[in-house]
Amino acid sequence: MGLRPMTGFSWDWSFAWSILPALLKGLAVTVQATLAGFLIAFVGGLALCLLRLARLPLLSPLAWFVIEFLRGTPFLVQLYFTFYVLPNYGIIFSPFITGTLALGIYGAARAAEFYRSALEAIPPGQWEAALTLKLPLSGVWFRIILPQMWPVALPMLGNLMIAMFKDTAVLSTITVLEMVAVAKDIGVQTFRYLEPLTMAGILFWCVSYLTARVIRTVEEKHAS
Amino acid sequence: MGAVAPYVPFLLGGVQVTLQITFAAIALAVPVAFILAFARMSPFRAMRWAGGFVIETFRGSSAVVQLFWAFYVLPLFGINLSPVAAGILVLGLNEGSYFSEVVRASLRSISAGQREATVALHLPRFFAFRSVILPQALPVMIPPFGNALVLMLKFSALVSLVTIQDLSFRAGLIATSLGTSGTVYGLVLCIYFALALMLAGAVMVLERRVNRWAGRDDTARSGFFTRRQSSVPPWAFGR
Amino acid sequence: MQAETAGARQSSTPAGILEMRGIRKEFDGRVVLDDVDLDLAAGEKLALIGPSGSGKTTVLRMAIGLTKPDAGLIRIEDKYLWHEQRDGRLVPAGEKHARVARRPVGMVFQQFNLFPHFTALENVREPMVQVLRLSRDEAGSRAMELLRKVGLSEHCHKRPGQLSGGQQQRVAIARSLGLEPKIMLFDEVTSALDPELVGEVLRVLRDLAHATDMAMLLVTHEMNFAADIADRVLMFDAGKIVESGPPSQVLVTPRMPRTRQFLRAVNDR
């Protein structure tokens, strides 16, 4: 660590103002990727979780491995892998779609664990009670088990969404023009990094803080 | 696959960098987590506020932005960190902010009765913390610590974005020069997974040791390799 | 202002080992103790009875500084718990002063609160090492002696989890005695026990009460036990002391209707 005379330590409000529209456009891309990715995670995670718990030969161990593998490796490298390997099989998507897909798949593995812990949190007595009621299997799931699973799973999924929102910044590495990529581009072009990166950080903070507040409110309403 | 073989030693050098960054960052994160947890539990409002501010700042925004900020913006303030130092600092503070909540919850999980007993026995405060509260709180922290360690390993890949030659960065170099990205990135994913398994295993050993130090007889109950019986019965899937 | 009035009241009473004057406490707007005065003479055995929620346990917790009163004075021997004398006047003092002032007091809890990761011996020995600054050997032999007195010397290397509730409570008693307190507080020490384990703990307490000149403050629902060992009984109701006197009076021929009603309810159990 060395000290250098202060250069560029001056916040330029008019510059900050001028780059705000571009950053907000980037934020819109970030939010789109988050929401689309979260949808994949939400549905795919439940599917992976059920597959893992179903004790099917081959498929359940495979689901277990996929979940653990995705959870045990960095999203950045998963993203590179998807980005460079898909075209080898003739699948050519835009970087945005590839990035969202990778984000969603990584999210699905994490969501699967949340669903599982929510399911495992239901006391075995509930299953036994359902058995004595002689409900059809669909009734057991939809009327007894799932209604008890959601209140536990939803806050975790909410936090997952916020985590995925922050992970979208990684998509900048495969040329998706989300907020961080925009901020960095502005820095490269104008040699001013202070305003764009700081503003990107603050915008991230605002959105995730607001989302967290919304989740907490919903959670409290659910609890009462 | 064969084309990648000559580059394996180069990749293994990346493994070393990745592990160094992971361990350095977690070594920073743990004290940071304790300091932040103490600040949040402090009787002084200013301390609680400062702790909360740091935690919210690091948790609220993206680690990538923080990394770029440390790399591009801090020098403008005359603070020139090496990329490695910037990477460790950001990863450590970021993960430390998350882990401080674990530390706080674990310390809180010790019953009020235990705390009151230390007061009623006139035990010196440091002894009460070191010998009564901590031995009961630490075993609670170890499984989440294992998660944090694996998270840090994955997290460390981000430092490749600020030119540190870790495993991910070297994978990129090889992929570019060979043009066989799929094999290289597939291999690197497997290496990361193997490292994650090893770290998780190491934490289980640690868990057993901490339990013994804390005087708990039960051995590791959680972790990567333990297969607990699922509470979801087989007939739930129609069989 | 408040300190002065309380100080004036104090001078008129004989100096006991523990004195409380004008104690008031609210929790969330609910009055738990309402202007309570209490005196404990050296060596005196005082039993506190009354319905749950009447404030008896809060009095005990205050005597050792676990709960701080909203108003009032607490004196232990020659020191005030939350006040110190400066220029002949009492001024509020903090936690640091309280740590010294409450040192002569020991407490046994309803839930034992043994340290689960220590053995029975360590539970008794470590506070002696830390507080009395004894060597580990010296503290160890004194701790063994105490465990023998409560009849647990053969269990000294077991952890609390391996002991029955009655055994745990006897270890907790030994642990408090190890610090040689001048005042012992017993907070419903048999309430968390299975009925068949109550006797062994009461026997230890009874022997202790008859054998020592320690002052004791006991919150209890065991009326026969209170009648046996107490010099004086205080009946609490709704944060006030409604009746006080020797057990032969309060427990046998109570004057106050509230006391009579309470005793009838307890005996009908």
Side-chain angles (χ1 to χ4, degrees):
Chain A
M1 189 174 125
L3 288 178
R4 215 169 61 176
M6 286 202 209
T7 52
F9 168 46
S10 56
W11 182 273
D12 185 340
W13 279 107
S14 65
F15 177 65
W17 191 247
S18 72
I19 60 171
L20 186 60
L23 284 175
L24 287 177
K25 211 177 277 174
L27 179 62
V29 176
T30 298
V31 169
Q32 282 165 21
T34 307
L35 292 178
F38 182 70
L39 196 68
I40 298 173
F42 189 81
V43 178
L46 188 57
L48 267 178
C49 164
L50 293 179
L51 212 55
R52 174 175 177 176
L53 289 176
R55 295 176 189 148
L56 296 167
L58 234 59
L59 274 178
S60 290
L62 186 69
W64 174 81
F65 182 78
V66 167
I67 292 169
E68 296 300 342
F69 190 86
L70 289 172
R71 278 167 24 97
T73 53
F75 173 54
L76 179 72
V77 185
Q78 291 173 17
L79 183 66
Y80 287 158
F81 184 79
T82 323
F83 187 65
Y84 292 109
V85 169
L86 283 186
N88 290 351
Y89 296 93
I91 306 166
I92 295 171
F93 288 138
S94 71
F96 176 81
I97 292 183
T98 309
T100 307
L101 206 63
L103 187 69
I105 293 171
Y106 178 52
R110 291 194 280 174
E113 276 303 281
F114 295 151
Y115 283 122
R116 189 175 68 92
S117 67
L119 274 177
E120 303 278 4
I122 297 172
Q126 292 293 314
W127 291 98
E128 285 153 22
L131 198 62
T132 62
L133 289 176
K134 305 242 184 299
L135 283 173
L137 202 51
S138 62
V140 173
W141 275 102
F142 286 101
R143 308 224 350 235
I144 295 178
I145 300 305
L146 292 182
Q148 294 188 68
M149 182 192 79
W150 288 120
V152 184
L154 282 179
M156 296 195 265
L157 292 170
N159 288 333
L160 174 66
M161 184 157 77
I162 295 174
M164 288 174 73
F165 172 65
K166 288 180 246 171
D167 282 343
T168 53
V170 177
L171 301 195
S172 64
T173 58
I174 58 162
T175 72
V176 176
L177 272 179
E178 49 66 68
M179 188 163 54
V180 176
V182 171
K184 227 181 132 198
D185 277 0
I186 294 170
V188 170
Q189 281 159 22
T190 62
F191 298 105
R192 292 199 67 98
Y193 286 98
L194 173 62
E195 292 88 353
L197 284 176
T198 308
M199 288 165 73
I202 292 174
L203 285 171
F204 259 115
W205 191 89
C206 290
V207 175
S208 54
Y209 182 76
L210 286 177
T211 316
R213 286 301 291 269
V214 170
I215 292 169
R216 204 176 310 156
T217 315
V218 172
E219 204 181 318
E220 275 159 15
K221 217 177 248 175
H222 226 284
S224 63
Chain B
M1 189 70 209
V4 183
Y7 292 94
V8 167
F10 181 64
L11 276 181
L12 289 182
V15 169
Q16 200 188 338
V17 175
T18 288
L19 286 179
Q20 278 166 353
I21 301 244
T22 303
F23 287 134
I26 202 89
L28 176 63
V30 169
V32 164
F34 270 88
I35 290 168
L36 288 174
F38 289 144
R40 292 274 280 155
M41 299 195 299
S42 158
F44 305 107
R45 181 176 304 199
M47 291 277 281
R48 287 201 300 271
W49 189 87
F53 179 79
V54 172
I55 292 171
E56 289 300 327
T57 304
F58 279 98
R59 282 171 32 139
S61 75
S62 172
V64 178
V65 180
Q66 291 160 20
L67 204 58
F68 285 158
W69 209 88
F71 194 68
Y72 292 106
V73 178
L74 275 187
L76 303 179
F77 294 88
I79 303 167
N80 282 310
L81 298 177
S82 70
V84 173
I88 292 170
L89 192 70
V90 167
L91 296 186
L93 288 175
N94 200 299
E95 189 63 37
S97 298
Y98 279 96
F99 202 65
S100 73
E101 297 291 302
V102 172
V103 171
R104 198 154 67 102
S106 311
L107 291 175
R108 279 236 181 119
S109 72
I110 308 309
S111 72
Q114 288 289 311
R115 236 175 275 276
E116 291 179 350
T118 67
V119 174
L121 290 165
H122 315 285
L123 295 177
R125 254 187 274 195
F126 179 75
F127 176 83
F129 179 76
R130 156 71 179 71
S131 299
V132 176
I133 306 298
L134 200 58
Q136 297 184 62
L138 220 47
V140 184
M141 293 178 205
I142 296 298
F145 173 77
N147 292 339
L149 192 58
V150 172
L151 217 60
M152 191 63 102
L153 172 73
K154 300 194 288 174
F155 220 19
S156 76
L158 293 181
V159 299
S160 65
L161 300 181
V162 290
T163 72
I164 296 174
Q165 298 220 355
D166 74 331
L167 187 53
S168 304
F169 189 88
R170 295 184 190 210
L173 288 182
I174 300 171
T176 318
S177 71
L178 282 184
T180 57
S181 328
T183 326
V184 177
Y185 285 120
L187 178 65
V188 166
L189 281 176
C190 291
I191 295 176
Y192 269 112
F193 188 53
L195 292 176
L197 288 177
M198 273 158 47
L199 290 182
V203 171
M204 285 186 55
V205 175
L206 179 73
E207 187 177 5
R208 227 166 275 150
R209 285 211 164 174
V210 168
N211 278 341
R212 212 176 307 145
W213 171 78
R216 298 212 321 188
D217 303 318
D218 47 337
T219 45
R221 296 143 289 110
S222 63
F224 206 90
F225 302 102
T226 44
R227 297 283 295 274
R228 267 169 300 137
Q229 189 61 42
S230 167
S231 70
V232 180
W235 59 262
F237 300 95
R239 280 170 308 125
Chain C
M1 166 63 202
Q2 160 221 334
E4 279 164 287
T5 50
R9 272 205 246 172
Q10 163 235 332
S11 54
S12 61
T13 51
I17 195 167
L18 172 73
E19 176 192 356
M20 293 188 179
R21 284 286 166 269
I23 299 295
R24 199 182 154 75
K25 183 72 190 176
E26 287 185 17
F27 285 121
D28 303 324
R30 202 174 62 83
V31 179
V32 184
L33 287 178
D34 186 5
D35 198 23
V36 166
D37 293 344
L38 182 148
D39 291 281
L40 183 69
E44 188 181 19
K45 277 65 176 169
L46 190 57
L48 312 187
I49 62 167
S52 55
S54 60
K56 331 177 281 293
T57 291
T58 309
V59 167
L60 246 59
R61 293 172 58 83
M62 280 185 176
I64 199 166
L66 285 173
T67 304
K68 196 174 174 177
D70 297 335
L73 279 181
I74 300 170
R75 181 178 57 76
I76 298 161
E77 293 194 297
D78 56 348
K79 290 195 183 67
Y80 287 91
L81 192 48
W82 299 108
H83 300 80
E84 54 192 333
Q85 256 146 349
R86 200 176 289 160
D87 309 330
R89 292 178 40 146
L90 282 179
V91 292
E95 178 68 30
K96 214 172 166 186
H97 173 79
R99 288 180 78 83
V100 180
R102 69 177 175 230
R103 173 62 190 87
V105 189
M107 182 166 184
V108 180
F109 297 89
Q110 185 178 349
Q111 299 292 342
F112 333 135
N113 295 339
L114 289 179
F115 302 134
H117 54 300
F118 285 173
T119 63
L121 178 63
E122 287 165 341
N123 263 287
V124 183
R125 186 188 65 194
E126 288 310 305
M128 296 168 85
V129 173
Q130 294 301 322
V131 180
L132 301 183
R133 297 266 151 223
L134 296 178
S135 75
R136 202 149 259 138
D137 286 345
E138 169 69 12
S141 61
R142 286 205 207 174
M144 276 309 293
E145 180 58 22
L146 284 164
L147 284 174
R148 196 188 56 75
K149 269 190 193 157
V150 297
L152 287 171
S153 43
E154 69 273 28
H155 297 295
C156 66
H157 294 301
K158 289 188 181 162
R159 293 233 167 81
Q162 299 164 292
L163 298 173
S164 75
Q167 290 169 330
Q168 289 188 56
Q169 193 59 296
R170 286 186 278 153
V171 175
I173 293 169
R175 181 174 73 166
S176 289
L177 291 177
L179 299 179
E180 297 165 355
K182 301 205 172 112
I183 306 168
M184 274 287 268
L185 313 172
F186 296 93
D187 183 17
E188 298 193 28
V189 291
T190 56
S191 296
L193 297 177
D194 289 337
E196 81 263 28
L197 302 178
V198 170
E200 60 188 69
V201 173
L202 291 186
R203 209 168 310 126
V204 166
L205 284 183
R206 198 170 274 136
D207 292 348
L208 188 65
H210 293 315
T212 72
D213 52 1
M214 248 184 338
M216 289 185 177
L217 211 52
L218 307 102
V219 172
T220 183
H221 292 300
E222 304 284 338
M223 295 306 152
N224 294 332
F225 172 68
D228 180 14
I229 68 150
D231 300 314
R232 203 149 55 92
V233 178
L234 299 185
M235 164 77 194
F236 275 74
D237 186 45
K240 285 180 187 286
I241 298 173
V242 294
E243 186 162 0
S244 144
S248 56
Q249 177 219 311
V250 178
L251 297 178
V252 183
T253 55
R255 290 190 202 128
M256 307 300 289
R258 183 68 188 95
T259 312
R260 245 173 275 150
Q261 183 197 352
F262 171 73
L263 289 175
R264 207 177 309 130
V266 171
N267 291 332
D268 284 352
R269 232 183 346 171

